[in-house]
Amino acid sequence: MSLQPLWDWTVNVPFTKQFPSELREEMMLAICGSVPQDAKNFVINFQKGENDESIAFHFAPCFDGGEEKVVYSSKKNKNWAPMADKCGKLDMRGKSFKLTFFFWKNCYQACLNGKHLLIFDKSEGNSEINAVNIYGNVKVDSLKAYDIRCVKTGV
């Protein structure tokens, strides 16, 4: 038995859409696409509502300059929490990618092409997520959401 997506959307960037229901713990989102060779950055916000006043998880890969990194944070009541970054060779420009986001009880986890990238502690900000916003230098082919509780429990 294969895991079937709860939602499977074709995405045109910029893209903002509310989920049919709020994301809850033990869900996974898979975003497949590609980054142009000349890209400087792109952003994926997991947020409450379609405006950007409350962002539970701000995820922004940056390729500007010689250093590649992901900047991440949260925003509550229009106020940003301190930004953090994860430096390293992202190797995304000019290539296809699969970003996988896991929504756990105490944190958000991001993986790039099947490899762990970062963990963002939920205590850093708001945990309500019912929408996604994607913009910047990125082409997104699909966004799929999965409930992974059934995989762990065998239900």
Side-chain angles (χ1 to χ4, degrees):
M1 182 176 140
S2 65
L3 191 60
Q4 296 299 313
L6 298 171
W7 318 308
D8 185 352
W9 296 329
T10 302
V11 175
N12 292 312
V13 175
F15 177 81
T16 302
K17 186 160 180 140
Q18 283 201 236
F19 299 121
S21 61
E22 188 173 310
L23 286 187
R24 59 189 178 278
E25 69 183 62
E26 297 184 3
M27 288 188 76
M28 178 184 84
L29 265 127
I31 299 174
C32 295
S34 58
V35 177
Q37 184 63 43
D38 61 347
K40 299 218 183 301
N41 65 6
F42 68 91
V43 174
I44 302 172
N45 287 327
F46 296 102
Q47 60 196 41
K48 182 178 179 183
E50 292 189 15
N51 63 46
D52 68 350
E53 293 177 10
S54 183
I55 299 170
F57 183 27
H58 169 80
F59 178 88
C62 303
F63 316 105
D64 206 13
E67 186 176 55
E68 295 184 350
K69 63 183 174 182
V70 176
V71 175
Y72 56 102
S73 187
S74 63
K75 185 181 190 182
K76 191 171 186 178
N77 300 323
K78 300 181 184 179
N79 295 311
W80 284 105
M83 293 284 178
D85 61 41
K86 172 84 175 187
C87 297
K89 185 85 172 118
L90 299 176
D91 200 28
M92 295 177 80
R93 285 203 289 192
K95 297 183 179 173
S96 295
F97 67 83
K98 180 177 184 178
L99 278 167
T100 311
F101 297 93
F102 296 91
F103 299 86
W104 304 116
K105 181 177 182 178
N106 298 316
C107 65
Y108 307 113
Q109 180 182 4
C111 298
L112 174 60
N113 298 327
K115 295 181 181 172
H116 171 76
L117 187 60
L118 64 89
I119 289 178
F120 182 55
D121 188 351
K122 280 187 182 180
S123 67
E124 301 291 328
N126 187 357
S127 63
E128 290 181 72
I129 299 173
N130 66 5
V132 64
N133 172 246
I134 304 171
Y135 61 91
N137 301 117
V138 65
K139 180 183 181 291
V140 176
D141 299 318
S142 69
L143 184 153
K144 298 178 182 181
Y146 301 88
D147 184 343
I148 57 175
R149 286 179 298 175
C150 60
V151 173
K152 285 177 37 181
T153 61
V155 176

